[in-house]
Amino acid sequence: RMPVSVPGTDRRQRASAAFFLSFLSLVFSVTAFGSSYWCEGTRKVAKPFCTGQSKGDHCIRFNSPDSNNSNAVQYIWETGDDKFVDRKFHAGIWYSCEEIINGKGEKCRSFISLAPASDQGVLWLSIVAELLYNILLLTGVVLMSVKMCYYSTVIDGLKINAFSAVVTVLAGLLGMVAHMMYTTVFQMTVNLGPEDWRPHTWDYGWSYCLAWASFACCMAAAVTTINKYTKTILEFKHKRKTLERSLKIKYKFPDH
């Protein structure tokens, strides 16, 4: 005998799946939005002069014993690429940080100030779109949690499903536009940004992947919600046709 799925149980499973995907999308998006690892890479910077007892590959050494004497002739051993060192950096929507060569920690500055003046408007649009994306995701999560916890009538549930589906789809579109705008601004900053920031090598970081994973979960939640809404409507139409057919038969052959 073929197993028969219970409509109520199937609807609850779909509602749980949509809520889980929306919540996961919100967590991913908030984490990526607040981090500074959308892009990572290295910058090629000139080595500083070795001072005091400092030695190693991160500073330029002299062959003069009296390196503090300005009258002494100082010869630099390093030539060509040996004069440069790779400094790691990572950048996000809000700020960009790079490591300090002769010390511990990082030096950070606003990424908005690094972007070219002609692209700062696009960057602000990207930030606004990301904020709206998170707000719409939160709205969708709240609506889906209300649908799961508040046992209302079927009609009210359909209204909540329809509204949450629209909100989730709009959130996904805004997220896609925001991510693409930031990608464009970063690439323009790499080419036209300040000389003391332009990276030598770079690639997208884990925050960038997390942002697109959030978009994928958001669209999956939207598809699940729309599917649940459509299936409920079809079940109503089927029950209505069955009821009409039974009424026609009843009135055509009335009981005596």
Side-chain angles (χ1 to χ4, degrees):
R1 179 181 295 179
M2 295 296 291
V4 179
S5 62
V6 181
T9 305
D10 185 62
R11 281 197 293 267
R12 284 193 294 270
Q13 289 177 350
R14 290 174 182 270
S16 301
F19 172 79
F20 176 74
L21 289 170
S22 295
F23 183 76
L24 197 64
S25 176
L26 179 62
V27 172
F28 285 172
S29 179
V30 171
T31 304
F33 187 62
S35 67
S36 62
Y37 286 87
W38 286 60
C39 301
E40 301 178 71
T42 57
R43 287 186 56 239
K44 193 175 285 292
V45 296
K47 294 180 182 178
F49 294 120
C50 294
T51 56
Q53 300 297 323
S54 60
K55 297 180 181 179
D57 298 330
H58 296 298
C59 62
I60 298 177
R61 298 182 296 274
F62 301 99
N63 69 336
S64 172
D66 190 8
S67 59
N68 295 324
N69 187 356
S70 60
N71 295 323
V73 179
Q74 301 174 0
Y75 296 97
I76 300 174
W77 289 107
E78 283 80 0
T79 59
D81 289 338
D82 293 334
K83 288 184 179 181
F84 298 93
V85 64
D86 291 332
R87 175 185 290 178
K88 295 181 181 179
F89 86 98
H90 54 89
I93 293 178
W94 298 105
Y95 49 90
S96 173
C97 299
E98 58 186 29
E99 64 178 351
I100 301 173
I101 296 178
N102 290 331
K104 296 181 179 180
E106 295 179 328
K107 178 180 68 175
C108 298
R109 44 185 168 172
S110 172
F111 182 76
I112 300 173
S113 63
L114 297 174
S118 59
D119 295 313
Q120 287 185 357
V122 180
L123 180 58
W124 279 112
L125 284 176
S126 173
I127 293 173
V128 172
E130 288 284 352
L131 287 172
L132 291 175
Y133 173 56
N134 290 325
I135 292 173
L136 289 176
L137 280 178
L138 179 60
T139 304
V141 169
V142 171
L143 288 172
M144 293 177 188
S145 62
V146 168
K147 174 64 174 62
M148 290 176 59
C149 300
Y150 176 64
Y151 295 97
S152 59
T153 62
V154 180
I155 300 299
D156 291 338
L158 281 174
K159 292 178 180 178
I160 295 176
N161 279 342
F163 191 59
S164 60
V166 171
V167 167
T168 310
V169 170
L170 287 177
L173 294 176
L174 272 175
M176 180 182 66
V177 171
H179 303 344
M180 293 177 66
M181 283 194 296
Y182 176 79
T183 304
T184 302
V185 171
F186 184 83
Q187 291 176 353
M188 294 299 294
T189 307
V190 169
N191 296 324
L192 304 175
E195 289 286 347
D196 62 343
W197 178 85
R198 294 183 191 176
H200 180 65
T201 59
W202 66 275
D203 200 355
Y204 296 110
W206 61 266
S207 296
Y208 188 80
C209 298
L210 204 63
W212 282 108
S214 170
F215 166 75
C217 290
C218 176
M219 297 310 296
V223 170
T224 304
T225 307
I226 293 172
N227 194 330
K228 181 163 65 74
Y229 174 81
T230 306
K231 189 172 183 179
T232 306
I233 292 293
L234 292 176
E235 287 177 358
F236 270 124
K237 289 183 177 180
H238 177 71
K239 289 179 181 178
R240 182 180 177 182
K241 289 181 179 179
T242 304
L243 181 61
E244 290 177 351
R245 191 180 300 113
S246 63
L247 289 175
K248 286 181 181 180
I249 295 173
K250 182 177 180 180
Y251 283 109
K252 188 174 182 180
F253 304 100
D255 296 333
H256 296 283

